[in-house]
Amino acid sequence: MSTDLGIWLSALLSLAAFSFLIKENKFYNIAESAFIGVGTGYAFVMAWSNIQSKGFGQIAQGDYLTIVPVLLGLCLFGKMSKSTAWIGRYPAAMLMGMGSAIAIRGAVQSELVRQIAATCVPLNSVNNIIVVVGTLATVSYFLFSMKSTGSQLSGGINALSKLGRWVMMVSFGAAFANATMQRCAQLIDRLRFLFEEWIYLIR
Amino acid sequence: MGAAPNDNTGKKGISRQFMYLLTVLAILLPLVFPVGMPVSVTPWVEKGYQHVEKLNPGDKVLISFDYSASGAADIHPAAEAIFKHLMDKDVKVITVAFVAEGNRFPGMLMSAWEEQGKVYGEDFIHLGFLSGHETGLAALFADIPGAAPVDSRGNPVTSYPIMDGVKTVADCKMFIGLSGGNPGPQQYVRQLEPYQGVEIFTACTAAIAPTVEPYLASGQIVGLVGGLKGAAEYETVMGYAGKASANMDAQSFAHLLVIGFIVAGNIIHFTSKKNEGN
């Protein structure tokens, strides 16, 4: 069995977290609070060191333009009081506007043009047929304006959208299976730690 | 022990605790008594490996460690395998983290390689944590020394030989994104769109791996290592058995058990429905 205090602490906290599987209890609550506290503390330290090195540090070295983002960042604290909340709207507006613009800039080409191009494939293999039909069927599921007109066209789109629902269910199933696989990996990691590094059962 | 009231319906079923116990046993027994089940390599892992293999000694690669402690069990083995591959090929590695907790992982890998003779600042460098997620990515790609003027050790990045000639991400041959969510493959592809010469290779948690498939099909991402299984595949194709391969028996048995649970659950559901009908 390990004599390392850090491993003992980690092992006991792991067991406390696992105890939730029986029922919620004080040990689990302690582990949960410790996890949230440590995570928040770590994130705060990282953010502070980031501000120091990339904010104040740069100003101290003569990069006075950095004062602008630092001031805008400080303005966000205005939201802590109702009377000064308006000050925080300016940096918040900039954050949202710039964030959206940066995301949209690459999205049109990478997620629209290139993805459409990737579905324009010759129908010479089962895989390609599944890609093309599956994509069309899924997109048709989201055509809400043409489904209830009673025409032959709307009947065809209805049938295609039903297929689209099945395609989405298959993809959700794959996503769920992968999520299960990830949870298994996390459990394996913890059990390996407990039985390998703590009580030396695994060699 | 097996039959107990179901928590939601009050009907008789398999108790949750019994299922947890079976799951723990299904994982623990293969860990203690490994059977060495074979690991098949998927094409996307093979392709990713081949693209790394094509890199020349001295080429520069940017790696982003965007996963937290909760995702580490699934991604860190892949990070170890890919980092080992890059070190074996004498590729220069620049690392960064856009998730605060991800900041600690490059240091863990680098200290192990420093013990084996690799030099910080020459063979690899860690730029530290950068806030802003996608906007941070965009800023770094456009101006690496500008977005990260000092490294994780507090020194100017331009003082290190590895950073000679590195201005933007276009000066790197490849970008490797290790992601547990956001930023992830979608953000990498979006922000690297203007830099067509930079190949994107990603390792991510198994949960988000299916969302990467469209980018693989379109050629926007050259390879995918999905979760612990992907890491085991990467180790297999590299020809060594690391942490991920050692866990594959347990993973396989756990999956078999989950399949068993699903089958049993359906049988119980339909049998009880039939009995209710009668």
Side-chain angles (χ1 to χ4, degrees):
Chain A
M1 209 164 203
S2 173
T3 51
D4 189 311
L5 186 65
I7 287 178
W8 267 87
L9 186 64
S10 184
L12 292 176
L13 284 170
S14 299
L15 291 178
F18 281 138
S19 70
F20 183 78
L21 298 175
I22 300 167
K23 66 173 187 177
E24 190 164 352
N25 59 75
K26 278 182 186 171
F27 297 111
Y28 169 75
N29 290 337
I30 290 169
E32 187 185 36
S33 303
F35 180 75
I36 294 168
V38 169
T40 309
Y42 186 81
F44 177 80
V45 169
M46 291 310 304
W48 179 243
S49 63
N50 218 14
I51 293 166
Q52 279 187 312
S53 64
K54 294 169 185 78
F56 301 139
Q58 295 306 302
I59 296 168
Q61 285 176 20
D63 182 5
Y64 297 114
L65 209 60
T66 311
I67 292 172
V68 178
V70 170
L71 278 177
L72 284 169
L74 288 171
C75 285
L76 280 171
F77 286 102
K79 287 200 167 284
M80 293 173 82
S81 163
K82 271 187 180 175
S83 60
T84 55
W86 64 273
I87 304 172
R89 286 187 197 138
Y90 297 99
M94 279 192 72
L95 279 173
M96 281 191 273
M98 289 167 75
S100 304
I102 284 171
I104 291 167
R105 181 189 64 163
V108 175
Q109 185 67 21
S110 69
E111 289 179 40
L112 203 63
V113 178
R114 298 253 247 148
Q115 286 301 309
I116 291 170
T119 53
C120 297
V121 289
L123 301 175
N124 55 6
S125 69
V126 176
N127 200 33
N128 285 2
I129 292 168
I130 291 172
V131 166
V132 173
V133 175
T135 305
L136 290 175
T138 308
V139 171
S140 74
Y141 182 82
F142 296 97
L143 287 174
F144 302 115
S145 58
M146 295 177 71
K147 284 180 184 167
S148 55
T149 58
S151 66
Q152 275 190 328
L153 181 65
S154 71
I157 288 175
N158 272 336
L160 200 59
S161 72
K162 274 179 189 166
L163 177 65
R165 198 168 67 174
W166 278 97
V167 172
M168 282 191 283
M169 282 163 74
V170 169
S171 67
F172 295 151
F176 176 70
N178 273 272
T180 306
M181 194 158 82
Q182 184 180 335
R183 302 294 173 246
C184 285
Q186 287 168 325
L187 184 57
I188 291 166
D189 181 70
R190 274 303 82 192
L191 290 178
R192 182 174 274 284
F193 165 77
L194 289 173
F195 289 92
E196 189 175 69
E197 292 182 44
W198 186 41
I199 61 170
Y200 300 155
L201 184 69
I202 302 169
R203 283 289 170 190
Chain B
M1 187 179 184
N6 181 305
D7 290 344
N8 299 323
T9 62
K11 290 174 188 171
K12 287 278 180 182
I14 301 170
S15 90
R16 278 189 311 155
Q17 283 77 14
F18 182 63
M19 289 168 75
Y20 296 145
L21 181 68
L22 283 180
T23 309
V24 168
L25 287 175
I27 289 172
L28 191 57
L29 290 175
L31 287 179
V32 180
F33 308 106
V35 289
M37 290 174 87
V39 177
S40 59
V41 179
T42 51
W44 298 121
V45 172
E46 175 76 38
K47 280 186 183 172
Y49 170 83
Q50 291 301 342
H51 279 268
V52 173
E53 193 62 22
K54 280 180 198 161
L55 294 170
N56 296 313
D59 281 347
K60 283 162 188 169
V61 165
L62 177 65
I63 307 182
S64 187
F65 286 73
D66 300 329
Y67 55 95
S68 60
S70 59
D74 213 26
I75 311 177
H76 197 63
E80 285 181 332
I82 295 168
F83 204 86
K84 175 179 163 46
H85 194 188
L86 294 168
M87 288 297 102
D88 289 347
K89 289 195 65 66
D90 284 329
V91 172
K92 309 292 181 193
V93 178
I94 301 163
T95 65
V96 67
F98 290 95
V99 169
E101 285 181 52
N103 186 53
R104 58 193 284 266
F105 298 116
M108 287 163 64
L109 295 176
M110 287 172 186
S111 57
W113 281 96
E114 276 181 293
E115 286 170 16
Q116 295 182 43
K118 294 286 182 183
V119 181
Y120 183 88
E122 287 180 22
D123 297 300
F124 40 67
I125 186 172
H126 179 41
L127 305 180
F129 163 67
L130 295 184
S131 59
H133 285 196
E134 191 164 1
T135 45
L137 274 171
L140 184 80
F141 291 163
D143 182 3
I144 293 175
V150 290
D151 71 337
S152 60
R153 299 184 180 186
N155 302 315
V157 294
T158 46
S159 65
Y160 293 102
I162 190 174
M163 295 304 288
D164 288 347
V166 178
K167 180 69 182 157
T168 72
V169 72
D171 298 313
C172 299
K173 290 270 179 180
M174 182 183 274
F175 171 80
I176 302 175
L178 309 169
S179 171
N182 186 14
Q186 198 177 18
Q187 286 76 27
Y188 303 146
V189 167
R190 273 206 296 251
Q191 295 311 321
L192 280 165
E193 183 61 32
Y195 310 96
Q196 286 298 310
V198 183
E199 292 182 328
I200 310 172
F201 178 27
T202 188
C204 59
T205 53
I208 62 167
T211 65
V212 185
E213 295 271 345
Y215 301 114
L216 293 164
S218 63
Q220 289 164 284
I221 292 179
V222 297
L224 165 69
V225 178
L228 190 67
K229 167 74 166 63
E233 291 174 31
Y234 205 89
E235 288 175 1
T236 303
V237 79
M238 278 182 71
Y240 84 103
K243 266 185 196 168
S245 303
N247 288 337
M248 271 306 98
D249 285 346
Q251 183 99 334
S252 303
F253 276 92
H255 290 176
L256 283 173
L257 186 71
V258 170
I259 291 168
F261 283 152
I262 292 170
V263 172
N266 276 284
I267 290 170
I268 291 168
H269 172 73
F270 286 110
T271 313
S272 60
K273 215 174 173 183
K274 200 176 169 186
N275 290 341
E276 276 171 25
N278 293 336

